[in-house]
Structure formats: C-alpha cells, structure tokens
Amino acid sequence: MIALFSFVAAVLAVGIHHETLVVASWLTRFASPKRFRPGLVVLLALLAHLLEVALFAGAWWWLIDAGAATLSIPNPDALDLLYFSGSVYTSLGFGDIVPLGPSRLLSVVEAVTGLVLIAWTASFTYLEMQRNWE
C-alpha cells in the first residue's frame, strides 16, 4: 500500500508541477515589463511546491489513518504533517519527527521527488531569466 501511495503521490506531484510551469510559461507572455516575468515564474513555482508538499502531507495522513504508516510522534495533526512533509520534500532531513518502519519508503520517494521538482524549477527559472531579464 505504501509503495502504491508513494508512486501515485509522485506522479500527481509531477503533474501539478508540469501544469504549473505550462501555465507560467503562458502567463509570462503577457506580463509587462519583461523583468517581472521571472518573478511571476518563481511565485507560481512556490505555489506548486506548496501544493505538492500538501499532497504528500495528505498521503501521510491517509496512510497513518489507515495504520499503514507510522511517525515518531503519536497522533500528528495537519500542521505536524505539513511540517514533516515540507522537511522531507526539501531534503532538510529529519528532526523531531521521523518515519518508522515501512513508511520510510514514502519519505524516500517524497525526498527524491522534491529534489527533482526543485531542480526543475531552478532550470525553468534560469531559462525565463535568460529570455526576459533586462
């Protein structure tokens, strides 16, 4: 179950990111002056990353609720899961909340997905800056 949820969450996160960057590239055509375009891209990318963190937090919540995943703190609330998911997604590392047992697989998939999507954002932003920075 954890492997399936990990895969589905990663695919959905990539889809969210792709569609956000498509929208960003479309919207930047209309932003004026051109120097505002990279900022628009960054803001939209930040929104996408926050949605992706929330998506993974939802996967954690569902798996914990189903008894398939366990964290080192009992009964994490939504804020705990968002914090934990953000830490994993950005590869900051584990601190006060740690995944236990088989649920560690989801944390690995989330961290790799976050790393790739953050790199994608960086390269996309770089291209936008090359095209539009005055």
Side-chain angles (χ1 to χ4, degrees), residues 30-94:
F30 305 107
S32 185
K34 284 175 67 173
R35 64 189 177 94
F36 290 144
R37 293 175 185 178
L40 178 60
V41 167
V42 169
L43 290 174
L44 290 171
L46 285 173
L47 177 63
H49 288 297
L50 292 173
L51 281 169
E52 292 148 14
V53 166
L55 169 77
F56 276 102
W60 281 105
W61 174 81
W62 199 91
L63 287 168
I64 290 168
D65 193 53
T70 309
L71 296 177
S72 60
I73 61 169
N75 305 318
D77 60 20
L79 196 55
D80 292 330
L81 292 174
L82 281 170
Y83 162 76
F84 174 71
S85 183
S87 296
V88 172
Y89 182 92
T90 58
S91 300
L92 288 176
F94 300 121

Side-chain angles (χ1 to χ4, degrees), residues 89-111:
Y89 182 92
T90 58
S91 300
L92 288 176
F94 300 121
D96 49 342
I97 305 175
V98 178
L100 304 173
S103 56
R104 293 176 296 178
L105 175 64
L106 178 57
S107 65
V108 170
V109 171
E110 183 176 2

